[in-house]
Structure formats: structure tokens, C-alpha cells
Amino acid sequence: MDLHNLNPSSLKSRFTTRFLRALTEINARKPIASSSSPREIFQRYRRIKDAADTSMAYSVRSRRTWSKATLWRLRTPSHRRRLASFGRRSSLNKTRTTTTASHRGAVVVQITSRGGGLGVQLEELRELVPGGEAMDLCNLLDETAHYIKCLTTQVQVMRTIANLYSLE
Amino acid sequence: MEKDEAFMAEVLNRTASRQLTWNTEVLNCATEKLGNHFLNPNWDNSMDQSDPFESALSSMVSSPAASKVPVSGENVMMRELIGKLGNICNSGDASCYSTPLNSPPRFDLSMVNLLNHSTLVPFSADPGFAERATRFSCFSTGGDSGCFNGPLMDSFKLSSMAGNSDSDKKNSGVSRSSSPENAESGVSKEESSVSQQIPSQNDAGTRKRKSIPRGKAKEIPSPAAADAKVASENDESNSKRSKREGAPSGNGNAKASNDGNQKQSKENSKPPEPPKDYIHVRARRGEATDSHSLAERVRREKISERMKFLQDLVPGCNKVTGKAVMLDEIINYVQSLQRQVEFLSMKLATVNPRMDVNMEALLSKDMFQSRGVLQHGIYPMDSSPAFPCGYHPQQGLLPLNNGIPNTTETQFSMKTQGFKLPSIDGFIDAHPQVGSMWEDDIQSIVQMGFGQNQPQSYQGSISTGQVKIEL
């Protein structure tokens, strides 16, 4: 890493500041007692995880589909989300079928045969990457690349923080 | 989107940097090698050397074309040039095949400037030669053969270059008359590769060449206009020679293979001036020139480009070939990253930070103002476990500073920001050292804090322990 250019507005530093803020907030709200029940620990874990994802998505500022999807997922309550996802899924399926139907002739054969080989993995990737359901392969790969980059940053920072905490 | 541009810029930079290094290499060796040969005015000698080049040539060239070449001085010289360029192209490293044809033409131009031979001019006027050269250039521009194609194309360009623009037009006219479709394909191909060079070169030679496509643009409306547009729109990476997105049928610059000849003549007669937002694609030899398949090919190339980028991101994917396996790896990696995030957040949930008060204070407004101050603030806690519980922090810090002069543990001088740190007041008082070390501290802390030198942090704590013992 370049020692001389600590970019104050880099993804890493943005994420770090936000995440630490959220973390201290969580710790302040409910300090960890030595006798926490597993349930409390689990709740805490969920909150921290959500905080991490949210702060990462905020650092990206909705420029990416996956960040938008993450923020949306964490903001809207689950019942509204279910309704919305119904509408989204149905429209998505429609668009998919129409696009494949528009290509005629030999090209259709090419598409389907190629798609068939990768179909399962594509679906998996779509599930993994938030907001990946509504994208074609090309954009999906783009999003995946950016998502991987952000995830590695997140893991790095969190690992450092955890090490620092645990060393005390 | 910004991130898209950043992504593309990254990819571009990578390919450009690869190109650049390769180009400089080739330029250096090419100028040495060819310079020696071509400054030798005795063509008879060079004829002896032409045999290896002959073989190289024959491997590149189709047999009828080769058989047509009469043994005259200029033609042999031309073939020699081709051969040498081809050899140099071969001897370049493997990136030769992935880098654009810019590179051979680039050092070729330097050769032209070196040469200043008038001998090139008469043989440029040879219509038969022009026809043959265009036929050579008709070979596919697939990734591997692209390099082979380059020198042939270059020699053709050389020939047209050596004269002035008038003779160029005459030459092109001649070539056109001899074999309209092939010549047009060759010409348009030349234009495409020439126009590709235009943004990247500043030689006087290129200025001459610039006139060629412009001049020809009037004569051949549709392909030339398209190529001029190509030149103007050439903001994409030059990594793939014919890699542009296909506009459907109207703009088909379908490269004339023997199949596509009739199509091309049809398209040439079509009304020109495709709209500017189309990006242009050239069908490769042996591929269907259907607009659908062109678009398909472009899409496939985009996808493979992105897969390559992902290959760089995902560790351990260099040996993997094939989309399916690659996707598997990517999926595994993303899953593992997500699981790591979950695990770490679980860890954070269970770990009780001892100095959470410090955290709050550290996150106060003042800290946010300075760069990297958080990492700075976190770090002192890292060294604190080295001390036994009862150890007074002040005393502990003094030896710390003395014992480890080279490390950044002097960041305890964070008092310059003037925060209220109840439990770290001891540290602050003990160390009047001011934030003159601030910048260095921040940088090194970031380095340490972000896992680059995490072993070093343990070293720090170990050495503090040792120092303590000394006391």
C-alpha cells in the first residue's frame, strides 16, 4: 500500500469512519456485559453486520446497483420488501423471456446453448451479489468486480478492528 | 457512472502500460536491427538474407500470392521488410498477440523516417504489388494472426506513405481498379488501422497519413466515413483491433472475406454517414457478417474482458480457463468473503472493547478532521496489551519510545488534537512529543493498522515487553 498517499476520501477510510461510528454507537447503546445471553449476542451480531453493510454501501453512495440494493434491503421493512420483490421478479422474468424471444434463427440456438452451460452459476451469482437479479451478464460481472473489491476492503478493516479490540 | 469509468480506466491503463513497455522494447530492438539492414545499400547482400524471411513470409502468405511475386529488387526488399517485421513481431513477447497492431506500425514509422528511400516509391506504384498487399491484408485479424498481419499492412502503408498524397490517391485508385473489393477492404483496413494510430502518434509521417483517410473519406463514403468516425470516437482501448460494438446492418464495415465481397459492395453503395453514437465493428475472416452475430461477438468480447478483470481480482485464478470454472471460483470467493464478514461481525459482537470510552472520544469531531486519525487512535491500544495490568501507563510509554525509535509508537503524541481522553491522559502527559510526527505516524499506522504489517504490531508489543524487562 502506498504509504505516502493516505487518501482521506478513499473507500477504505470512508468505510472505516462510518463503521467505527456505528460500532461505538452500538456499543454505547448496549454495552457488552459479561453475562450476555446468546440471544443478545446474536442481536448484537446482526446489528453489527447490518452496520457494516450499510456503511460500506453508504461509502459507495448508490453509484452501484449492489449498494442501492443493500441500502434498500436494510431500510425497508420486510413486508414491504416482499411485495416489492414480487413485482420485481415478475417483471424481470417477463423481460428475460421477451429478450430471448426477439432473437430468431440460429442466434437463438447460440444463446440458449451458451446460457445453458452457465445458467446455474449465473443464478447463484445473481443471488450472491445484491441487486443482481435484474442485470444481464455483462453488467453483472461489472457489479461483481466492484462488489468483490468492496468486500475485501470491508474484511480488511473489520479484521483490523477486531484484532485491535481483542488484543486489549 | 464514475465507477464504470474508473473500472474501464483501470483496464485501459493495464493494457496501455503493457503496450507501452512492449512498444519501447520493440522500438529499441527494431531500430537497431532494421537500421543496420536497411542502411545497407547493397541489395544483393540482403537478398541472401532474404531466405529465412522468405520462409517466414511463405508461412504467412497464401501460395498464389507468393507465386505471383516476381523477383525484382524492390519486391524482394519489400518482402524482406515484411519478413523482418514479422520476425520482430514474433520475437516480441506473448503480449504481442494481445496488444494492438499499433505497435508494429509504430516502429515501422520510425523505420520510414530512417529510410527515406526513394526506392520504395516506384514499387508502390506497382498495381500488382498493391493488389497482393491488399490480399495479404485480407487475412484475418484474429488475436494471433493480428501480428502477422501487421507487417504486411505496414508495408502496404509504407508504400503508400513514401509518396505524397497525390501518389497515394493514385495508388489507391490503381489498387481499386485492379481489384475493387479486395483493395477497398485493404484500403479501409488500412484506414482503420491508420486511424487507430492517429490519436496516439505525433510523427510527421502520421500527419501525412492523416490526409489519406480524410482524402479518401470523400471518395469512399461509407467505410471511410465510418473509419473517420472510428478515429474520432477512438476513446476505447486499443487492446483489440476490431473490437467495437456493432451497429446493425447500415454500418456494416464487414471485412471482406471472399464470402462477404458482394455484401461489401452493396454496403459501399449504401448512403453514408452512420450516426455518431454507433461504435463500429469489423467482422473477422470466416465469421458471419450478420449484424446479430456482430453484436453477439461484441457482447462476448465484453464479457471475456470482464472475466479477465475478475481473474485478476480473485486470487488464484490465473490457471483457470473457461467461463464455467471461472464463475465457480468467483462464486466461491464471494461466498467466502461474505462469510468472513459475518464471522468478523460476530467476533466484534462478542469482544468487549476495553477502552470503549476511548473510542467515543477518538471519534470526536477533532479526530475526523485530521487524516487517518482513527487508525492513529486505534493503534495505541494495540501496544497496551504488552503491558501487564498493573503497569503504569506513563512508565510503560517511556521505554516504549526509547526502545523502539523506528516504529510509530510515538503516535501517543495525539495530544495535539486536544481531545479529552480520560484514561489516556497519562499517555499524553508522559509524552510531550508533538504532532510533528503526525504525518509519519498516520501513514505508518495506516500501513500497520490495515494488516500490511500486522506481524510488526506484534513485534512492537513484544519489544515493549522486552524493554520493560530492561527497566
Side-chain angles (χ1 to χ4, degrees):
Chain A
M1 181 160 62
D2 193 352
L3 283 186
H4 301 290
N5 300 334
L6 174 62
N7 188 1
S9 64
S10 76
L11 179 69
K12 214 180 238 183
S13 48
R14 289 200 304 258
F15 169 68
T16 315
T17 56
R18 267 184 227 277
F19 180 55
L20 281 169
R21 221 186 284 173
L23 204 55
T24 53
E25 205 185 307
I26 292 175
N27 282 338
R29 239 192 288 162
K30 283 188 191 175
I32 303 179
S34 52
S35 58
S36 310
S37 66
R39 185 177 172 75
E40 280 178 30
I41 293 184
F42 179 75
Q43 273 181 354
R44 196 187 185 81
Y45 147 72
R46 284 312 305 247
R47 275 196 214 114
I48 290 181
K49 178 160 172 281
D50 289 346
D53 291 336
T54 314
S55 50
M56 179 48 86
Y58 256 117
S59 309
V60 179
R61 289 242 172 263
S62 301
R63 273 177 302 209
R64 286 272 157 177
T65 315
W66 69 263
S67 66
K68 264 189 258 177
T70 315
L71 288 173
W72 180 79
R73 189 193 296 174
L74 291 172
R75 275 187 183 163
T76 59
S78 52
H79 58 271
R80 260 186 246 162
R81 213 190 298 165
R82 239 173 269 143
L83 291 172
S85 69
F86 274 142
R88 210 191 256 182
R89 294 255 172 81
S90 57
S91 63
L92 170 69
N93 289 333
K94 265 188 230 163
T95 53
R96 276 207 197 144
T97 49
T98 48
T99 49
T100 52
S102 64
H103 297 277
R104 298 278 171 204
V107 183
V108 173
V109 174
Q110 286 179 14
I111 290 179
T112 52
S113 64
R114 234 185 299 123
L118 299 173
V120 178
Q121 291 146 326
L122 275 187
E123 290 302 316
E124 277 191 43
L125 197 57
R126 279 182 213 274
E127 284 171 29
L128 280 180
V129 177
E133 298 96 5
M135 284 191 288
D136 54 338
L137 177 58
C138 195
N139 292 331
L140 183 65
L141 291 179
D142 239 350
E143 292 287 319
T144 311
H146 192 264
Y147 186 56
I148 285 177
K149 179 177 135 207
C150 292
L151 272 183
T152 47
T153 315
Q154 196 173 354
V155 165
Q156 258 183 349
V157 173
M158 287 177 76
R159 189 180 288 146
T160 315
I161 294 177
N163 283 338
L164 293 173
Y165 271 18
S166 61
L167 279 175
E168 297 165 12
Chain B
M1 289 192 187
E2 290 174 51
K3 287 294 179 177
D4 276 334
E5 287 156 17
F7 167 91
M8 285 310 294
E10 270 179 84
V11 173
L12 283 176
N13 285 340
R14 282 184 204 190
T15 52
S17 60
R18 252 183 275 146
Q19 275 179 48
L20 227 56
T21 52
W22 191 83
N23 287 342
T24 49
E25 281 175 59
V26 168
L27 253 176
N28 292 337
C29 69
T31 48
E32 289 166 20
K33 277 193 210 172
L34 286 184
N36 295 336
H37 282 297
F38 279 102
L39 290 177
N40 178 10
N42 193 351
W43 294 113
D44 292 336
N45 287 346
S46 56
M47 270 179 71
D48 299 335
Q49 297 163 3
S50 69
D51 291 338
F53 302 130
E54 278 260 17
S55 55
L57 247 194
S58 58
S59 67
M60 293 191 285
V61 172
S62 63
S63 49
S67 62
K68 277 191 192 175
V69 175
V71 181
S72 70
E74 298 103 349
N75 283 336
V76 169
M77 189 204 72
M78 194 284 287
R79 284 153 73 211
E80 194 182 306
L81 170 61
I82 293 172
K84 277 167 192 148
L85 293 175
N87 280 346
I88 287 174
C89 204
N90 283 341
S91 61
D93 55 348
S95 64
C96 156
Y97 298 109
S98 56
T99 52
L101 288 164
N102 290 354
S103 12
R106 214 167 277 167
F107 68 77
D108 193 12
L109 273 182
S110 69
M111 287 317 303
V112 170
N113 292 336
L114 273 179
L115 283 181
N116 276 337
H117 272 294
S118 58
T119 51
L120 287 177
V121 177
F123 98 125
S124 73
D126 175 19
F129 164 71
E131 180 189 339
R132 267 172 261 122
T134 56
R135 262 208 219 117
F136 297 166
S137 67
C138 280
F139 285 135
S140 80
T141 62
D144 290 340
S145 51
C147 256
F148 287 98
N149 220 347
L152 300 175
M153 281 300 309
D154 299 339
S155 49
F156 179 61
K157 276 177 272 172
L158 255 186
S159 67
S160 49
M161 236 293 293
N164 34 0
S165 54
D166 292 339
S167 68
D168 287 336
K169 285 191 180 152
K170 206 200 325 173
N171 180 27
S172 61
V174 160
S175 64
R176 225 178 294 136
S177 64
S178 61
S179 58
E181 291 150 354
N182 281 345
E184 274 171 352
S185 72
V187 159
S188 49
K189 186 156 177 150
E190 167 198 14
E191 286 173 352
S192 77
S193 43
V194 164
S195 58
Q196 220 178 355
Q197 299 168 32
I198 285 175
S200 45
Q201 290 171 351
N202 293 328
D203 284 339
T206 44
R207 266 178 243 131
K208 266 193 192 173
R209 287 197 189 187
K210 267 184 192 170
S211 63
I212 301 172
R214 302 279 159 80
K216 286 185 184 156
K218 298 166 197 159
E219 295 169 29
I220 313 172
S222 64
D227 291 330
K229 297 276 171 38
V230 158
S232 59
E233 294 171 353
N234 194 11
D235 47 351
E236 272 192 316
S237 81
N238 291 328
S239 60
K240 301 229 180 126
R241 186 170 176 219
S242 56
K243 172 176 145 64
R244 318 270 165 85
E245 259 181 313
S249 53
N251 307 323
N253 282 330
K255 176 93 172 49
S257 57
N258 296 330
D259 310 328
N261 275 347
Q262 305 89 356
K263 246 195 186 173
Q264 201 188 25
S265 53
K266 253 189 265 171
E267 284 160 356
N268 285 337
S269 60
K270 273 185 188 165
E273 302 305 322
K276 279 214 172 181
D277 47 354
Y278 283 109
I279 311 177
H280 303 283
V281 164
R282 191 141 283 191
R284 283 181 256 192
R285 173 182 166 83
E287 279 197 13
T289 54
D290 186 21
S291 66
H292 282 298
S293 43
L294 275 181
E296 265 303 307
R297 186 161 63 85
V298 163
R299 180 179 159 269
R300 257 182 281 141
E301 285 176 358
K302 263 181 152 187
I303 287 176
S304 60
E305 179 192 331
R306 297 216 162 105
M307 296 283 290
K308 277 190 205 134
F309 185 67
L310 276 171
Q311 232 178 1
D312 293 338
L313 269 184
V314 177
C317 261
N318 304 326
K319 307 142 194 167
V320 170
T321 47
K323 272 196 237 169
V325 190
M326 192 54 220
L327 273 182
D328 272 337
E329 287 294 315
I330 292 171
I331 287 172
N332 284 339
Y333 189 59
V334 170
Q335 274 175 347
S336 78
L337 283 177
Q338 285 178 341
R339 265 184 251 130
Q340 273 181 4
V341 168
E342 287 179 8
F343 171 72
L344 284 170
S345 56
M346 180 69 85
K347 195 172 171 189
L348 282 172
T350 56
V351 163
N352 187 9
R354 201 173 77 178
M355 299 192 185
D356 39 5
V357 182
N358 297 337
M359 293 303 285
E360 287 173 7
L362 292 176
L363 293 172
S364 71
K365 198 175 44 164
D366 292 2
M367 299 229 12
F368 279 131
Q369 283 168 5
S370 69
R371 300 190 316 171
V373 112
L374 274 170
Q375 298 86 334
H376 184 95
I378 292 167
Y379 193 68
M381 301 176 214
D382 189 27
S383 50
S384 57
F387 306 113
C389 304
Y391 207 80
H392 195 279
Q394 287 188 12
Q395 288 177 356
L397 281 168
L398 278 169
L400 203 96
N401 262 338
N402 298 335
I404 308 157
N406 59 334
T407 66
T408 59
E409 317 236 317
T410 53
Q411 78 269 7
F412 293 119
S413 58
M414 49 183 167
K415 77 170 203 172
T416 51
Q417 294 304 309
F419 7 77
K420 297 115 192 153
L421 296 171
S423 54
I424 307 188
D425 277 345
F427 294 170
I428 294 171
D429 294 339
H431 293 281
Q433 285 181 14
V434 195
S436 57
M437 318 272 264
W438 196 258
E439 292 297 303
D440 296 337
D441 291 348
I442 290 170
Q443 289 155 10
S444 44
I445 283 155
V446 167
Q447 177 195 12
M448 289 183 171
F450 283 163
Q452 283 274 321
N453 290 331
Q454 273 187 345
Q456 194 174 345
S457 64
Y458 294 113
Q459 271 178 25
S461 38
I462 289 172
S463 47
T464 57
Q466 288 171 353
V467 170
K468 171 196 66 154
I469 290 172
E470 283 168 30
L471 272 186

